[in-house]
Structure formats: C-alpha cells, structure tokens
C-alpha cells in the first residue's frame, strides 16, 4: 500500500509540476527566446502567439510559436522564406529549474512551407542565421537562450528549392523528417528518417523525377568545424527503387567538394520502371514485366561557380533478360537487354561521353531490334553506331500494352556510322543506312481521326566523313490526314554546297495535327497549303547565279498562331501568301497581329533556303511595313502574355524581377530592311503619330534612318540604333531634331524632359532641339541617366522664362528684379552630357539693360556649379562675375567671385549597368585645378557626342 501511496504522490507531484512550471517561468522563457531570435536571425520574424506546454511534445517542456512567418535574408528581406503553423523548442528542465537558463535541445516544426531561392547571381534567401564572430571574447555575464540539439522533427512540410544559378528545381510535398544526434557537438552522427510523398526534380527545365515518393534511412557523420558530411549508412527508396549511398561532402567558401557513389543493385526492371513519370505508371500496373536491372551513379570533384569548377558524373544502367507483355499481346517483348554508360567530366556537355553498348529486344521470329551507339563530345562529336531492326509497330504496341495510342506499320532500319560530327567544320561520320516505314498509321485518344497511309523511304550515305559526300533521299515521304494527302520528295546531295531537289504538295491542318499529339500552341483553324518545287544549288544564291535556280510554287498560311521564346505573346498570322521565285520568297499578302499591334508586310526574303540549311544562317529581306497601331510595351520580354515557351533566361528574369517589364529582345538572325509607315506607335504612354522612315534589323540591332513622326504637336526627325544585352538591359544611340515644339507640353507629356530639363517647368513658349545621346535602358526600359553621353543645341526661339530660382536668386543679390523675367528669345544653349553631369557652354541673354552670360556645370540630381558674368551697359563690355553653387531648389550666390565649387562626376559600369558612384560636391580647389578638371570633363562629353555621330553614320 505504501508503494502505491508514494507512487500516486509522485505521479501527482509530476503532474503538478507539468502544470505549474509553464506558469512559473513564462516570462523567463519567452523573453530569452526572443533575445536569441533577435541576436541570431537576419530575416524578419513574426508570429501570432507563444505558449508553454508539457503535453504537445511530451515529455519535453516546449515553447511553441503559432503561425510563424520568417522572411529571407538580403536582398530577399521582403519575401517569405518559411511559414509554419507551429514551431516548438524543447527546453532542458535541469538548466531551467536550477540555473534559470533556457537550453534548447529539441526542435519541432509542423505544417510548414519553405521557399528556398537562389537567384542568377548566386544570392540566396536562406542566410538568416547570424553566428557570433569567433574573435570576440565570450560574455559570461549575458544570459540568453542557447542551443544543444538532440532532436529535430519536421512534420508535413512543403519545400521548394529553386536555384537559378545552377538551374535546379526541387519541389518536395508532404515531407516528414526526424533527425537525432548530438547536433551541437563539433563532430556527431546524425540519424535521419525522411519521407516525402511527392518529389519533383529538374535540371535546366528537364524533369528527372516527377511526383515520386521517397524514403530515406540515413546515418551521416557531420564535422561542423570543417563542414564535412560523411555518408555512413544511407538507404533511399524512390517509389519502389532502392538506392544505397556512400561517400562524403565538404562545404567550402565558394562551393563544395564531394565524392558520392550510389547504387541500386540486383533490382528488378519493374522496380526501375517505378521511377518513370507518373503517366507511365498506370501502364506498368497492367503489364507483365520481369527481368533484372542495376544502376550505378558516381559524382566526384569540386563545385565552385566563381572559379568555374564542376565535378565529374558517371552513370551506368544495366538491364538483363527483360520480358514485357500485355495480356492481349499475341507476342511478348522478349530478351530485352541494355548496357548504357554516361560520363560527364566537369559537367561539361562538350566532354559528354555516351556508350550504349547494347540495346536489344525480340518480338518473335524476324521481328527484332539491335543497337550499339557510342558518342563523345557535343559541338564536335565522335560517333560510332550500328542500328539494325525490323519491327511490326502494331505488335510492339500490343506487347507493351500501350493504351492511349494506336500505331501500325512495318519499320525496317539498318544504319552504320563511324566518324566525327561537327557542324562548324562540316564533318559528318561515314554513314550507310536506310529507314523504311510502310503503311504507317497513328491515332491517339486526343483526336478522333488518325494520320494514315504513312510511307517513308529514307536513305543516308557518306563515304569520306565530310559534308561534301553526305547525301539524303526521301523517296517518298507521304501521309493522309482528314482526306488531305501530303507528299514530299527530296534528294539532297553535297551538304558543303547543297544540291537540292524538293517537291512538296498538300494541305496541313496544323492545329488538328497538334491535337493528335496533345500539343498546344497553334490555333485550331490553322492551315498550311503548299505546292512547291525547289531545284538548285546553295552557292547559286550566295554567288548571284540566280538564273540557275528553279524555285517556284506557293505556300499559304491561314489563322496560324505561333510563339517565339523572347516575346511574351503569340503572333497571329491571319493570312500569309508566299510565292517562291528563284532566289526570292515573296510576301504577296501578309497580315498579322500581336496583341493590340497589327502588321501588313509586302516584300521579299532572300536566302530562305540557306537559312534552313546553314547552322547560323541569316534571313535577308526588304519589305514595306504598314500598321495602324504598334504598342512597343507589349514586346518587352517580361510583360505578361500567353506564351508559355519562354527562354530560360526570360523565365528566370521574370521570377527575379516580377514587377519589371524587361526590354525588347531583337532576333540575332535577321538582316531585313523595312520601309515603315505606321499611323500610331505608342511607347510607355508616349504617342508617336504618322511615323515614316527606314527601319532595319541586323544582327540583333535595330536601326532607324531618316525617320520622322509627330510628337507633342511637332515633327521630329531621328536616326537611332537599339540593341538588347539581356532580358533586363539594352543600349541605344539617337540623334534627333525637332523644330518649334511647345516647352510646357513637352514638360507635361514626356518623362525624360522632366528628368533632364527640370528648369523647363518655368519656361513657356516655342523651342527647337538638335541633340545626340547614347545610353542604357534599365529593367523597365527606362533610361539610366548616369549612362547618358552626348550633347547638342537647344534654341529658345520664342520663350518666356519666369521665376527660375537660380536667376531670381542672382537678381535678389544684385538688386535687379528683371532677372525674374529675362529676355531669352533666340538664344542658343549648347550642352554636353557625361557621367550624370550637364556641361553648359557659355551663352548670353538680356535682362533689361544688362547682358548676363552663363556657363558651367549642373547635374541631373540638381547640383549647380555655374559661372555668371553680368555685363553692364553700354553693350556689356564691362561686367562683374558671380558664382552659383548649391542646388536648383536652393541656389547659393557669390558676387565678385570666380571661385566655384566643382562637382565630381558619377561613375557608371556599362558591363553591370550599375552606378558605382553618384556625383557629389567636390572639395574646394584652386581656380587652376577647377578649370583643368572642368575642361577634361567637357572634352569627354564632346568626344562622346562625336562618337554617336560616327556610330550612326556607319550604318
């Protein structure tokens, strides 16, 4: 009875302590945890409430934080890194009771979403933990929370890791993780149990895992001093495929070094198939599959992005004695064998080696396939291949049990190749082979009608390893689709100087063909009608022997919707009627729209055949372009649109700059002249009416020559050049002339006028302009003012200048109120711009009987360093000097002085498109030093103006 009594008392005392401790120590715990968070977190932390409990994670006393939000580290401090329904830390009771110190030895995080991000520059959002500098002496008097972890437990996490610098995406949903060990020790063993319900992994937008389950049972030795991880026991299971890892990983200052081996040995083909994309797994459930497989993976070396060092990867996949059969198949796929080896040194695709030592299977007698392929390199690829097979495609479909596709026909192939493939050097492996397909038939579940009567007889030969002996014949390639037969016959010889003979005839309903393959991107009503006969040699066009060409026929496009990777929206070709006439492809009738913009083209392209033949071919052409309306804004690369097939550079730039428009990207393979006539062109709210002139596109640059348009009620003439550098930056040169425009209207309607000429606010009347500028656009296609260089003349033809603060301040100081309303009619003001400074050449005007003149320097940020000479009557021959410093808003006046205070110019990095140093007021210097520096700055600005003239005249 005593034992029961004391047991009951003990239990009651423990329960009492569990309830009373959270009440006794709440202030201590909450305060010290807050101290710890403030000292050790760089990201902003927010949560709803905190509370203490013995029961949420019994038997630990835990501090819980509900609805936690943690922002990322700079430059992502406004973006969420982690949200969690609950974050709880386990408290060491001994330290709490006896030392009143909070020692954290357990962490629990439940129902969390983590968004880990690394941008294209390598900047990461997860650097939120701030450790104490080791060189500082330890403060033994300061009390606060400390960590000595023995347990980490994550429950129901969703983690997205998106690394733009490495082009890696990992998306894990339903992650549960338990880590045990002395995590606060310098060297400890971490026991890990990890389960993920759905895991996606992609590299360069290619998915290598999609919606896979993963289980990991790991023991990892961690050395926190050297940041080294040794994989001691590491067993993974991806769906049904088991993998074992061994090796080590060390984190370095600029990357990491690793030597990790993985293997899945003595597994079955079915287990291997379980890692295929989800759409294939239902097929595997209903298919009889047997055979053995082995997978080996090895990655070794150092990864350093700054030093451009990357590790080596080796992979080997073995499949032995495979058997695949669907229940309804008359003959199974038997004797499936494969030995595939991949070697990728330094993750460099130009060193990629693929060795398919064997790929073979049988589908009964006289129905088998054998392949051997070896390649090394990419730009210059060594190739050795032997492919041979005769396969009944219907029998293959039945053996595999494919449900969503009906494919028929007999395919026979025999190809041998040995040599080097290099497009630049025009090398092609010695080759002899053919591919024949008879009575082909293709139908999918996505469209009710099949592509049928597919017949293809293709032969390829090469006798000496060069393009010169390469020959390809298609005799014929034909098929029927929805009652429309298509026929192509081609004989191509000598790819060094291609001798071609091609006939193509038929009607393609492009939208419906794409529906057969469940592809989107072309409009459902899109039609291509062709009747072409092309006969000639490549050099006939390039050397001007057009009489030897015999290219003729028609190509008609209707209602075709198409995209390009650098534009956010789709082009919609309502009608395109093209006629081939020897060297030219004529646009007889072409009308297209792009968003709100419309285009009508009439003219021709040259070199169309060479463009498709040459690897880096360029299209040449001359057109008349007519348009009712062109909106430049919707061509900017990062604008929203229906195009889902953007380049990876554009996609990443959009993610990293969600509120930016980007710049317009120009195709690099066009050399086209356009005689443009547009009723209205709009750019960022600025309307240009009745635009006429010559535009040309050449090697990724756009040139405007002798172009004019109406703007703010005046006619402007410009010559210009534009070139994009990335989706976020571009550069330009422009020389412009405009006669008699209204200053106030320009100030109100044109942003650049308000930025560059703030004094125009106080000017009314008519002005003319002759100016040359070059500079850069930023990620919103706005001018970067410190990048501007150039200069020109402003003629104040008929103006009123009232209450300009700088002139009023001069007038107040010399007692001449007439400076509030000077006479500047007919005055020419010549200026030169460089590094955010505007250098003003001397100009003279009238103020009553006085003849003031002004010269000096001002900046776009409003700094002044101007010299004013006030000429006295008669004629202004005698005068006195004034120096104006300060700013436009607060000018400072010094009478009878020539000693101003110069302005140090800004520094702009053209490569990074960043301002390294903003302009600032210089220290006081002697007159001689000031004159010398001013003259040097002005000369640089004048040289920039001359260079613009030279650049524009060269095109």
């Amino acid at each position: 009875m005593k034992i029961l009594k004391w047991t009951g008392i003990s239990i009651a005392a423990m329960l009492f302590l569990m309830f009373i401790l959270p009440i006794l120590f709440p202030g201590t715990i909450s305060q010290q945890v807050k101290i710890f968070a403030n000292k050790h977190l760089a990201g902003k932390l927010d949560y709803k409430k905190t509370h203490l409990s013995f029961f949420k994670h019994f038997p630990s006393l835990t501090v819980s934080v509900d609805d936690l939000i943690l922002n990322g580290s700079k430059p992502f401090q406004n973006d969420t890194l982690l949200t969690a329904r609950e974050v709880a830390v386990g408290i060491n009771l001994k330290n709490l009771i006896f030392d009143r110190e909070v020692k954290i030895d357990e962490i629990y995080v439940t129902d969390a979403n983590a968004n880990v991000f690394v941008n294209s520059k390598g900047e990461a959002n997860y650097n939120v933990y701030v450790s104490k500098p080791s060189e500082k002496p330890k403060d033994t008097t300061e009390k606060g929370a400390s960590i000595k972890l023995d347990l980490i437990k994550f429950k129901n996490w969703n983690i997205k890791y998106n690394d733009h610098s490495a082009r890696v995406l990992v998306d894990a949903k339903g992650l549960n993780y338990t880590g045990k060990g002395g995590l606060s020790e310098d060297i400890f063993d971490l026991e890990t149990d990890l389960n993920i319900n759905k895991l996606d992994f992609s590299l360069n937008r290619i998915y290598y895992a999609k919606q896979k389950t993963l289980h990991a049972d790991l023991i990892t030795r961690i050395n926190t001093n050297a940041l080294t991880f040794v994989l001691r026991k590491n067993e993974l299971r991806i769906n049904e495929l088991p993998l074992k890892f061994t090796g080590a990983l060390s984190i370095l200052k600029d990357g990491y070094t690793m030597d990790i081996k993985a293997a899945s040995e003595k597994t079955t083909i079915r287990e291997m198939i379980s890692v295929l994309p989800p759409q294939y797994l239902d097929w595997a459930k209903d298919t009889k599959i047997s055979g053995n497989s082995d997978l080996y993976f090895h990655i070794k070396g150092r990864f350093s992005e700054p030093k451009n060092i990357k590790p080596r990867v080796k992979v080997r996949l073995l499949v032995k004695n495979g058997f695949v059969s669907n229940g309804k198949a008359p003959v199974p796929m038997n004797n499936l064998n494969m030995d595939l080896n991949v070697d990728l040194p330094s993750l460099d695709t130009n060193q990629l080696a693929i060795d398919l030592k064997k790929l073979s299977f049988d589908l009964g007698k006289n129905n088998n396939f054998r392949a051997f392929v070896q390649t090394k390199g990419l730009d210059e690829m060594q190739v050795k291949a032997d492919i041979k097979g005769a396969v009944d495609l219907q029998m293959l479909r039945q053996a595999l049990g494919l449900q969503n596709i009906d494919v028929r026909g007999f395919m026979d192939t025999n190809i041998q190749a040995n040599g080097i493939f290099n497009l630049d050097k025009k090398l092609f492996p010695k080759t002899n082979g053919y591919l024949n397909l008879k009575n082909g038939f293709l139908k999918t579940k996505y469209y009710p009608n099949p592509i049928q009567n597919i017949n293809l007889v293709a032969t390829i030969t090469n006798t000496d390893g060069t393009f010169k002996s390469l020959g390809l014949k298609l005799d014929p390639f034909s098929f029927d689709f929805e009652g429309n037969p298509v026929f192509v016959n081609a004989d191509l010889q000598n790819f060094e100087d291609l001798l071609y003979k091609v006939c193509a005839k038929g009607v393609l309903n492009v939208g419906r063909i794409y529906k057969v393959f469940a592809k989107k991107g072309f409009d459902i009503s899109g039609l291509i009608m062709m009747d072409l006969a092309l006969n000639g040699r490549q050099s006939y066009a390039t050397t001007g022997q057009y009489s030897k060409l015999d290219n003729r026929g028609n190509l008609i496009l209707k209602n075709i919707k198409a995209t390009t990777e650098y534009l956010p929206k789709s082009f919609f070709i309502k009608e395109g009627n093209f006629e081939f006439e020897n060297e030219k492809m004529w646009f007889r009738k072409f009308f297209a729209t792009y968003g709100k913009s419309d285009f009508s083209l009439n003219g021709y392209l040259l070199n169309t055949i060479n463009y498709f033949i040459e690897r880096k071919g360029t299209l040449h052409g001359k057109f008349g372009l007519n348009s009712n309306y062109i909106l430049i804004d919707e061509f900017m690369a990062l604008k929203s649109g229906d195009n889902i097939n953007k380049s990876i550079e554009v996609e990443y730039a959009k993610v990293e700059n969600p509120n930016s428009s980007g710049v317009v990207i120009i195709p690099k393979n066009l050399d086209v002249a356009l005689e443009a006539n547009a009723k209205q062109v709009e750019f960022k709210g600025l309307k240009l009416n009745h635009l006429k002139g010559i535009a040309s596109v050449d090697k990724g640059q756009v040139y405007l020559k002798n172009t004019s348009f109406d703007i703010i009620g005046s006619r402007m003439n410009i010559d210009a050049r534009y070139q994009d550098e990335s989706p976020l930056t571009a550069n330009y040169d422009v020389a412009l002339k405009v006669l008699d425009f209204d200053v106030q209207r320009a100030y109100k309607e044109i942003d650049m006028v308000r930025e560059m000429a703030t004094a125009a606010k106080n000017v009314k009347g008519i002005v003319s302009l002759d100016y040359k500028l070059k500079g850069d656009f930023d990620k919103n296609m706005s001018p970067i003012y410190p990048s501007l260089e150039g200069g020109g003349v402003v003629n104040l033809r008929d103006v009123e200048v009232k209450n300009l603060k700088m002139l009023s301040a001069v007038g107040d100081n010399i007692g001449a109120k007439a400076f509030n309303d000077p006479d500047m009619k007919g005055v020419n003001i010549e200026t030169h711009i460089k590094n955010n400074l505007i250098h003003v050449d001397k100009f003279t005007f009238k103020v009553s009987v006085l003849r003031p003149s002004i010269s000096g320097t001002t900046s776009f940020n409003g700094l002044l360093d101007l010299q004013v000479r006030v000429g006295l009557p008669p004629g202004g021959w005698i005068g006195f000097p004034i120096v104006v410093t300060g700013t436009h808003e607060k000018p400072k006046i010094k009478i009878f002085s020539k000693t101003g205070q110069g302005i140090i110019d800004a520094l702009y990095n053209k490569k990074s498109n960043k301002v390294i140093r903003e302009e600032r007021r210089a220290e006081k210097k002697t007159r001689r030093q000031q004159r010398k520096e001013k003259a040097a700055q002005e000369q640089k600005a004048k040289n920039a103006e001359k260079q613009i003239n030279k650049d524009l005249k060269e095109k």
Side-chain angles (χ1 to χ4, degrees):
M1 291 293 292
K2 284 185 178 181
I3 294 174
L4 291 173
K5 179 181 177 181
W6 284 108
T7 302
I9 291 172
S10 298
I11 293 172
M14 288 177 64
L15 291 171
F16 175 74
L17 284 172
M18 289 180 183
F19 282 106
I20 199 67
L21 281 173
I23 298 171
L24 293 175
F25 297 103
T28 300
I29 294 171
S30 296
Q31 183 182 5
Q32 293 194 22
V33 170
K34 199 169 188 178
I35 289 170
F36 172 82
N38 289 333
K39 284 171 60 179
H40 292 282
L41 292 179
K44 181 183 176 183
L45 180 69
D46 197 9
Y47 50 83
K48 278 193 175 179
K49 62 179 180 178
T50 61
H51 46 83
L52 303 176
S53 173
F54 263 111
F55 300 103
K56 278 205 170 186
H57 300 285
F58 185 83
S60 297
L61 172 63
T62 57
V63 180
S64 298
V65 175
D66 291 346
D67 299 328
L68 176 139
I69 300 175
L70 175 63
N71 283 5
S73 54
K74 291 183 179 181
F76 309 101
Q77 61 268 34
N78 296 322
D79 299 329
T80 302
L81 171 63
L82 175 69
T83 64
R85 184 178 60 81
E86 180 199 43
V87 177
V89 292
I91 306 298
N92 186 299
L93 282 178
K94 174 181 173 294
N95 292 95
L96 178 64
I97 295 169
F98 297 106
D99 302 325
R100 296 184 66 83
E101 290 182 349
V102 178
K103 296 287 186 181
I104 299 170
D105 54 14
E106 297 176 354
I107 290 181
Y108 304 86
V109 185
T110 305
D111 296 336
N113 290 283
N115 184 27
V116 182
F117 180 66
V118 182
N119 67 17
S120 300
K121 300 175 185 176
E123 298 169 328
N125 71 340
Y126 54 77
N127 296 315
V128 292
Y129 182 76
V130 181
S131 59
K132 274 189 175 182
S134 58
E135 64 270 11
K136 287 187 179 179
K138 192 173 182 179
D139 186 354
T140 55
T141 63
E142 182 184 32
K143 288 188 176 182
S146 62
I147 293 181
K148 187 176 181 180
L149 289 177
D150 294 314
L151 174 68
I152 297 176
K153 198 160 191 175
F154 297 160
K155 185 178 179 182
N156 192 28
W157 273 55
N158 297 324
I159 298 178
K160 189 171 185 179
Y161 174 81
N162 196 350
D163 189 336
H164 284 182
S165 64
R167 299 188 173 184
V168 169
L169 173 66
V170 179
D171 194 355
K173 291 183 171 64
L175 180 146
N176 292 278
Y177 169 87
T178 301
K180 297 179 181 178
L183 279 72
S184 60
E185 303 295 332
D186 291 341
I187 300 174
F188 62 92
D189 285 344
L190 176 65
E191 298 179 21
T192 298
D193 183 74
L194 173 67
N195 288 283
I196 300 175
N197 294 336
K198 292 181 180 178
L199 176 67
D200 295 350
F201 171 76
S202 73
L203 175 63
N204 260 341
R205 294 197 297 192
I206 300 173
Y207 276 90
Y208 295 91
K210 192 79 171 173
Q211 296 184 16
K212 302 301 169 196
T213 61
L214 184 143
H215 172 73
D217 184 9
L218 317 172
I219 298 177
T220 307
R221 173 151 293 180
I222 300 175
N223 184 334
T224 59
N225 293 322
L227 275 181
T228 299
F229 304 83
V230 179
L231 309 178
R232 303 186 69 190
K233 175 194 173 186
N234 294 275
E235 298 177 357
L236 295 181
R237 182 173 291 274
I238 304 174
N239 280 11
E240 299 174 21
L241 181 70
L243 283 171
K244 291 185 178 181
F245 283 79
T246 59
L249 170 70
S250 296
I251 307 297
L252 307 174
K253 258 186 177 181
D254 60 352
Y256 46 85
T257 182
M258 63 177 70
D259 185 358
I260 297 174
K261 294 180 180 179
S264 180
E265 298 178 293
K266 298 179 181 179
T267 57
T268 66
I269 296 176
R270 180 174 287 280
E271 289 171 332
M272 185 68 67
I273 287 174
S274 72
V275 301
L276 290 174
Q279 58 266 35
Y280 298 106
L281 298 184
D282 288 338
W283 159 79
K285 289 179 184 176
D286 302 324
T287 305
K288 185 177 180 181
I289 303 171
S290 64
N292 300 316
S293 69
D294 298 286
L295 175 66
Y296 302 94
F297 174 89
H298 188 196
I299 181 167
K300 183 178 181 180
R302 181 177 173 184
F303 181 91
S304 172
E305 189 71 31
K307 295 180 180 178
N308 196 27
I309 301 172
K310 295 179 182 177
R312 182 175 198 154
V313 174
K314 290 185 177 182
V315 180
R316 187 181 187 191
L317 175 61
L318 290 169
V319 175
K320 299 176 183 177
N321 302 319
F323 177 93
V324 181
S325 180
N326 183 267
K328 299 178 182 179
V331 177
M333 176 185 282
N334 210 349
N335 298 319
L336 173 61
N337 291 280
M338 181 169 65
D339 185 354
L340 174 65
N341 297 264
V342 179
D343 185 10
L344 185 58
S346 301
L347 296 181
D348 181 4
T349 54
N350 284 319
Q351 300 182 60
L352 174 65
I354 298 175
D355 186 0
L356 181 62
K357 293 183 178 180
K358 180 192 294 184
L359 173 62
S360 62
F361 62 83
D362 298 334
L363 287 168
K365 191 177 180 181
N366 299 323
N367 212 327
N368 52 61
F369 183 84
R370 304 282 185 274
F372 157 78
V373 179
Q374 282 184 337
T375 70
K376 188 174 183 181
L378 195 65
D379 290 342
E380 180 164 306
M381 183 186 294
Q382 298 177 24
V383 179
K384 192 174 183 180
D386 189 349
I387 302 170
K388 188 175 184 180
V391 179
D392 186 315
L393 298 179
Q394 184 175 7
M395 197 175 291
L396 178 64
R397 178 186 66 84
Q398 290 173 336
L400 296 177
L402 302 179
Q403 300 295 321
N404 299 326
I405 186 170
D406 183 2
V407 57
R408 306 171 197 170
F410 190 81
M411 184 181 71
D412 179 21
T413 184
N414 189 346
I415 300 174
Q416 291 84 38
N418 190 357
I420 296 174
F421 177 71
N422 187 304
L423 286 170
D424 291 329
K425 296 179 181 177
K426 297 190 175 182
L427 300 176
F428 196 91
K430 293 180 181 179
T431 305
N432 185 30
Y434 64 84
L435 172 66
N436 295 341
L437 175 62
K438 295 181 181 178
N439 300 318
F441 179 98
L442 176 64
K443 183 179 179 299
T444 69
K445 71 172 186 177
Y446 308 107
Y447 194 74
N449 299 326
I451 302 173
Q452 55 189 346
N453 297 326
I454 307 170
N455 288 283
L456 171 64
V457 177
T459 59
I460 183 169
T461 58
N462 186 291
T463 58
D464 64 6
T466 68
F467 270 32
K468 191 171 184 179
S469 68
L470 177 60
L472 174 64
K473 287 186 179 181
L474 299 177
D475 188 18
F477 171 47
S478 61
F479 61 88
D480 292 345
F481 182 62
E482 296 198 322
N484 293 315
V486 176
F487 175 86
V488 178
N489 186 296
D491 185 358
L492 309 176
Q493 302 293 327
N494 184 7
F495 280 67
E496 201 168 280
D497 181 13
L498 186 67
L499 181 65
Y500 58 87
K501 188 174 184 179
V502 179
C503 292
K505 191 172 185 178
V507 177
L508 291 176
N509 192 317
V510 181
R512 293 181 185 177
I513 285 181
Y514 265 64
K515 274 195 168 184
V516 171
F517 298 98
K519 295 287 183 182
K520 296 180 181 179
F522 280 78
D523 191 82
I524 190 170
S525 62
L527 289 175
I528 297 178
M529 293 168 275
M530 54 186 176
D531 186 0
L532 299 173
L534 310 175
N535 193 348
R537 185 180 288 276
Q538 184 180 352
S539 61
Y540 293 164
T542 56
T543 58
Q545 301 179 67
Y546 301 130
S547 60
K548 295 183 178 180
L549 292 170
D550 186 15
N551 299 325
R552 47 196 165 81
N554 292 285
L555 181 66
I556 297 173
L557 307 181
K558 287 190 176 180
N559 299 327
I560 295 292
K561 182 180 176 184
T563 59
T564 174
E565 61 180 354
Y566 295 115
L567 289 176
K569 296 184 178 182
S570 301
F571 271 99
F572 190 75
I573 303 172
K574 292 189 174 181
E575 187 171 4
N577 194 333
F578 309 99
E579 183 179 344
F580 286 81
E581 186 181 285
N582 294 333
E583 78 279 11
K584 294 177 180 176
M585 176 181 175
W586 287 93
F587 285 54
R588 295 299 187 193
K589 195 175 183 182
F590 183 91
F591 183 70
T593 59
Y594 176 87
K596 297 178 181 178
S597 306
D598 63 84
F599 307 91
S600 176
L601 290 174
N602 195 309
Y604 62 83
L605 284 176
L606 289 170
N607 201 41
T608 49
I609 294 174
N610 285 2
Y611 171 75
F612 291 106
I613 295 170
E614 290 285 345
R615 183 187 179 193
K616 300 176 182 177
T618 299
L619 278 175
H620 304 273
K622 188 174 182 181
F623 293 95
L625 183 150
N626 291 280
S627 174
N628 292 308
Y629 179 71
I630 299 174
L631 179 59
I632 302 293
D633 303 39
E634 58 188 1
F635 289 85
M636 297 177 192
L638 306 191
K639 285 280 189 176
S640 298
D642 62 343
N643 184 10
I644 59 174
N645 298 313
K646 296 174 184 150
S647 73
I648 195 167
E649 292 84 6
V650 171
E651 181 184 305
Y652 282 175
K654 180 64 177 175
V655 171
E656 294 174 20
N657 303 272
N659 299 319
S660 300
S661 66
V663 301
V664 178
I665 297 177
I666 307 300
K668 304 297 185 288
N669 56 352
L670 288 180
D671 178 13
V672 176
L674 300 165
E675 189 173 330
N677 187 348
K679 289 184 179 178
Q680 188 175 91
V681 177
E682 186 173 345
F683 174 56
K684 302 186 77 171
L686 186 64
K687 292 180 173 60
L688 316 177
N689 297 310
H690 306 296
L691 184 146
K692 291 185 178 181
I694 303 299
S696 62
V697 181
D698 184 19
K699 297 176 183 176
Q701 299 188 73
V702 174
Y703 296 88
L704 296 179
K705 202 80 168 171
N706 300 324
T707 301
S708 62
F709 47 81
D710 293 336
I711 180 173
I712 55 170
S714 302
R715 194 72 180 167
M716 179 178 285
N717 297 279
I718 71 166
D719 290 344
R721 180 201 60 83
Y722 169 89
Q723 180 182 30
D724 64 272
E725 298 169 357
S726 75
L728 296 169
T729 56
N731 61 74
Y732 60 91
D733 300 338
V734 59
L736 56 91
K737 290 182 181 180
V738 57
L739 296 175
D740 301 341
F741 70 89
D742 187 302
V743 179
Q744 278 300 299
R745 187 172 173 185
Y747 184 83
K748 291 175 182 177
E749 296 183 21
I750 303 176
D751 292 340
M752 199 168 181
V753 171
R754 287 195 296 275
E755 294 284 346
M756 291 182 62
T758 54
K761 181 180 180 181
N762 302 101
V763 178
K764 292 181 180 179
I766 304 302
V767 170
S768 296
L769 185 68
D770 185 351
Y771 224 82
K772 302 171 185 68
L773 283 173
K774 70 177 180 179
D776 293 338
F777 281 127
D778 66 12
K779 59 186 178 182
N780 289 306
M781 209 163 172
S782 296
I784 302 173
Y785 289 98
S787 73
L788 291 178
E789 299 178 12
V793 178
V794 179
N795 174 256
L796 310 180
R797 189 173 72 81
D798 186 8
V799 298
E800 294 179 4
V801 181
K802 288 190 176 182
N803 301 317
L804 185 62
K805 287 186 178 181
M806 187 271 289
L807 291 179
S808 296
V810 171
D812 291 343
N813 276 268
I814 65 173
K817 291 185 178 180
F819 271 89
N820 290 330
D821 187 11
D823 181 4
M824 289 193 173
K825 292 180 181 179
V827 171
N828 287 330
I829 303 176
E830 185 170 353
T831 59
H832 308 278
I833 296 172
K834 177 83 172 178
N835 292 337
N836 227 36
L837 299 186
I838 306 167
H839 304 284
V840 184
D841 288 1
K842 183 178 178 181
F843 67 93
T844 302
F845 55 99
K846 295 178 183 179
V847 175
S848 186
V849 295
L850 304 176
R851 294 293 181 271
S853 62
I854 297 177
S855 64
T857 303
T858 180
S859 82
F860 285 122
N861 288 338
L863 298 178
L864 298 175
D865 182 32
L866 298 174
Q867 289 77 46
V868 181
R869 181 186 181 277
V870 180
L872 302 173
W877 298 336
I878 301 172
F880 59 90
I882 299 175
V883 167
V884 183
T885 57
T887 66
H888 284 296
E889 292 299 317
K890 294 181 179 180
K892 296 178 181 179
I893 309 299
K894 290 168 62 179
I895 305 174
F896 299 109
S897 174
K898 293 182 180 179
T899 306
Q901 191 172 3
I903 305 170
I904 296 176
D905 57 359
L907 286 182
Y908 175 76
N909 188 317
K910 292 183 179 180
K911 290 184 178 179
S912 64
N913 299 100
K914 287 186 177 180
V915 179
I916 301 171
R917 179 188 75 201
E918 293 187 354
E919 74 272 20
R920 66 178 185 271
R921 183 66 68 187
E923 296 178 3
K924 290 185 177 180
K925 297 181 180 179
T926 65
R927 293 182 189 177
R928 184 178 179 184
Q929 287 175 317
Q930 289 188 48
R931 285 196 300 269
K932 189 175 180 181
E933 290 180 1
K934 180 183 174 184
Q937 287 179 345
E938 289 179 351
Q939 190 57 49
K940 284 182 181 178
K942 289 178 180 178
N943 290 342
E945 183 184 346
K946 291 177 182 177
Q947 187 62 42
I948 297 170
N949 278 332
K950 184 180 177 183
D951 292 343
L952 290 170
K953 285 177 181 177
E954 284 179 355
K955 185 61 184 177

